C-alpha cells in the first residue's frame, strides 16, 4: 500500500493546553494533510476542548486522569494504519513527522522515536536532561539495550504495535512501558532526531521532576521484575544466601572449636535466610515459565495484525 493510501492518525493527549493546542493541530495538519487528527482531552479545566474543535480536530475525552490512561483509550478507539503520537503543547516539530513515517515504511519498522534535540534553553529543563540520561542508562543495563530518548512522547507506530500493546501504566511512565514492550518483543524500531521547541506563552509543563521521576524509576524496576523474574529473584536469592553464609560462618567455626552453638537466634536467622533464598529461586523459576507463556501470547497478538506498510 502506498504512503498516500495509508490511513494516518495523529493522536494528541491533552490536559490544559488551551494556549498551544490550536498551533499543534495546525502544524500537523500542514505536515500531514491527509491525516485524521484526534485530540483526547483529559479533564482540562480550561478551553482546550473548544479550541481543539475550532481548530478542526476530532475531539474525544478520557475521564480517568493520567497520560497512560489517555494513551490506552487512544490506542483502543482509533483505527488507522499508521499512528503519529505527540503532545498537544507544540513542543514537538510536526515537520519531522513525514520523515519519521518514511523511515518506518522504508525500513519496515514498528516504531520510530523522535529523539529530542532542544534548541531553546528553556525547552528542556536541566533536571529533565540528567534524569533522562540516568533512566536511559538504567534501562539499558536492565534490558540489554535501550533508546537514545526513552521519554520522548513523539513516536510513530504501526498498527500491529498499537493493537498488541497492553497499556498498564496510568501516568507519565507510559513512554517507559512502550519502550520496554518494544525491547522485550524484539520489534524492529528506529530513531530520528527532531527539534524540541519551547512551549508557547501561557502553556506550562505538567511533569514533576522528582515525583514523576520516582514513578518512572519504580516502573522500570517493576517491569524488570515482571519481564525478567528469573534474574530479579535470582539476584534476590543470591543476596539472601550470601547474608546467611556471612552469619553462619562464625557459628560453624565456633561449633568446630567447642562443639556448641552459643547464638541460637543467629543460627535461626541464618536458617530462615537460606529458606527464603530457596523460595526466591523457585519463585523466579516458576514466574519465568509464566512470563514466557505471556510473552508468546503477546507475540502472537502482535503478529496477528498487519505488518508495516511498504
Amino acid at each position: 500500500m502506498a504512503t498516500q493510501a495509508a490511513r494516518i492518525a495523529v493522536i494528541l493527549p491533552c490536559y490544559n493546553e488551551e494556549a498551544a493546542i490550536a498551533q499543534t493541530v495546525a502544524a500537523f495538519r500542514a505536515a500531514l494533510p491527509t491525516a485524521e487528527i484526534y485530540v483526547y482531552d483529559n479533564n482540562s479545566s480550561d478551553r482546550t476542548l473548544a479550541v481543539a474543535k475550532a481548530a478542526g480536530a476530532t475531539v474525544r475525552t478520557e475521564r480517568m486522569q493520567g497520560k497512560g490512561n489517555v494513551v490506552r483509550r487512544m490506542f483502543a478507539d482509533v483505527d488507522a494504519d499508521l499512528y503519529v503520537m505527540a503532545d498537544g503543547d507544540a513542543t514537538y516539530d510536526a515537520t519531522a513527522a513525514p520523515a519519521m513515517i518514511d523511515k518506518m515504511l522504508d525500513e519496515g519498522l514498528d516504531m520510530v522515536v523522535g529523539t529530542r534535540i532542544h534548541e531553546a534553553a528553556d525547552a528542556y529543563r536541566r533536571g529533565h536532561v540528567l534524569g533522562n540520561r540516568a533512566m536511559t542508562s538504567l534501562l539499558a543495563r536492565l534490558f540489554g539495550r535501550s533508546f537514545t530518548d526513552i521519554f520522548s512522547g513523539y513516536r510513530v507506530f504501526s498498527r500491529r504495535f498499537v493493537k498488541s500493546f497492553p497499556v498498564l501504566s496510568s501516568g507519565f511512565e507510559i513512554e517507559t512501558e512502550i519502550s520496554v514492550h518494544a525491547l522485550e518483543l524484539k520489534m524492529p524500531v528506529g530513531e530520528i532526531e527532531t527539534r524540541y521547541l519551547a512551549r508557547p506563552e501561557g502553556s506550562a509543563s505538567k511533569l514533576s521532576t522528582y515525583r514523576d521521576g520516582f514513578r518512572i524509576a519504580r516502573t522500570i524496576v517493576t517491569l524488570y521484575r515482571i519481564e525478567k523474574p528469573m534474574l530479579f529473584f535470582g539476584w534476590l536469592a543470591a543476596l539472601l544466601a550470601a547474608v546467611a553464609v556471612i552469619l553462619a560462618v562464625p557459628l560453624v567455626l565456633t561449633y568446630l572449636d567447642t562443639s556448641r552453638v552459643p547464638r541460637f537466634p543467629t543460627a535461626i536467622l541464618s536458617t530462615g535466610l537460606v529458606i527464603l533464598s530457596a523460595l526466591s529461586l523457585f519463585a523466579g523459576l516458576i514466574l519465568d515459565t509464566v512470563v514466557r507463556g505471556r510473552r508468546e501470547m503477546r507475540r502472537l497478538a502482535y503478529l496477528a495484525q498487519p505488518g508495516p506498510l511498504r
Side-chain angles (χ1 to χ4, degrees):
M1 187 183 298
T3 306
Q4 290 78 7
R7 295 175 300 159
I8 302 173
V10 177
I11 48 179
L12 306 171
C14 279
Y15 174 64
N16 286 346
E17 294 294 355
E18 175 186 352
I21 188 58
Q23 179 180 337
T24 304
V25 171
F28 277 102
R29 178 72 69 205
L32 300 169
T34 63
E36 183 73 21
I37 300 178
Y38 297 86
V39 171
Y40 274 72
D41 182 69
N42 194 207
N43 301 315
S44 294
S45 57
D46 61 7
R47 297 181 60 254
T48 296
L49 196 148
V51 173
K53 283 183 179 179
T58 300
V59 178
R60 296 175 180 173
T61 59
E62 171 53 51
R63 297 302 180 191
M64 295 179 64
Q65 197 68 41
K67 186 175 181 179
N69 292 321
V70 180
V71 172
R72 183 186 303 113
R73 179 71 179 275
M74 293 191 302
F75 281 9
D77 287 358
V78 178
D79 190 58
D81 298 313
L82 299 173
Y83 299 77
V84 180
M85 185 176 77
D87 292 336
D89 55 12
T91 55
Y92 291 114
D93 182 13
T95 61
M100 295 171 70
I101 292 174
D102 288 343
K103 183 177 179 67
M104 169 172 281
L105 298 179
D106 292 343
E107 300 180 21
L109 306 177
D110 283 305
M111 180 174 69
V112 175
V113 181
T115 302
R116 293 170 289 183
I117 304 297
H118 51 286
E119 297 179 347
D122 57 345
Y124 204 8
R125 285 178 279 177
R126 178 179 291 273
H128 291 180
V129 175
L130 296 176
N132 194 350
R133 291 175 180 171
M135 294 300 180
T136 298
S137 177
L138 175 62
L139 192 70
R141 286 180 176 275
L142 295 181
F143 292 92
R145 59 194 181 107
S146 185
F147 297 92
T148 305
D149 184 2
I150 64 170
F151 296 150
S152 174
Y154 195 11
R155 303 180 185 231
V156 176
F157 303 101
S158 68
R159 176 183 174 84
R160 69 180 181 183
F161 185 105
V162 167
K163 297 305 180 183
S164 68
F165 177 44
V167 185
L168 302 177
S169 301
S170 60
F172 282 107
E173 63 272 24
I174 180 63
E175 283 90 3
T176 305
E177 187 184 358
I178 288 173
S179 299
V180 170
H181 179 68
L183 295 176
E184 279 299 287
L185 290 190
K186 297 179 173 59
M187 295 181 182
V189 297
E191 296 179 298
I192 283 184
E193 290 187 350
T194 62
R195 293 185 303 153
Y196 191 62
L197 311 172
R199 284 172 169 269
E201 186 177 352
S203 176
S205 174
K206 292 32 171 219
L207 183 65
S208 169
T209 302
Y210 298 105
R211 183 189 68 236
D212 291 309
F214 174 77
R215 291 180 62 180
I216 291 165
R218 184 182 62 188
T219 297
I220 291 177
V221 174
T222 300
L223 289 172
Y224 183 70
R225 174 179 59 81
I226 293 172
E227 298 294 342
K228 297 184 180 293
M230 189 63 250
L231 290 176
F232 182 88
F233 287 100
W235 280 110
L236 179 59
L239 177 62
L240 292 171
V243 174
V245 169
I246 292 172
L247 293 174
V249 166
L251 299 179
V252 173
L253 294 176
T254 301
Y255 177 79
L256 293 176
D257 288 339
T258 65
S259 299
R260 295 180 179 179
V261 182
R263 298 190 295 276
F264 276 103
T266 304
I268 294 171
L269 175 60
S270 180
T271 302
L273 290 174
V274 170
I275 294 172
L276 289 176
S277 175
L279 289 174
S280 294
L281 181 61
F282 282 109
L285 289 170
I286 294 169
L287 290 174
D288 187 65
T289 302
V290 174
V291 168
R292 286 177 180 272
R294 288 177 57 249
R295 191 173 296 135
E296 289 174 2
M297 294 301 295
R298 283 187 294 166
R299 183 74 181 177
L300 290 174
Y302 160 73
L303 294 175
Q305 299 294 334
L309 302 171
R310 297 282 186 169

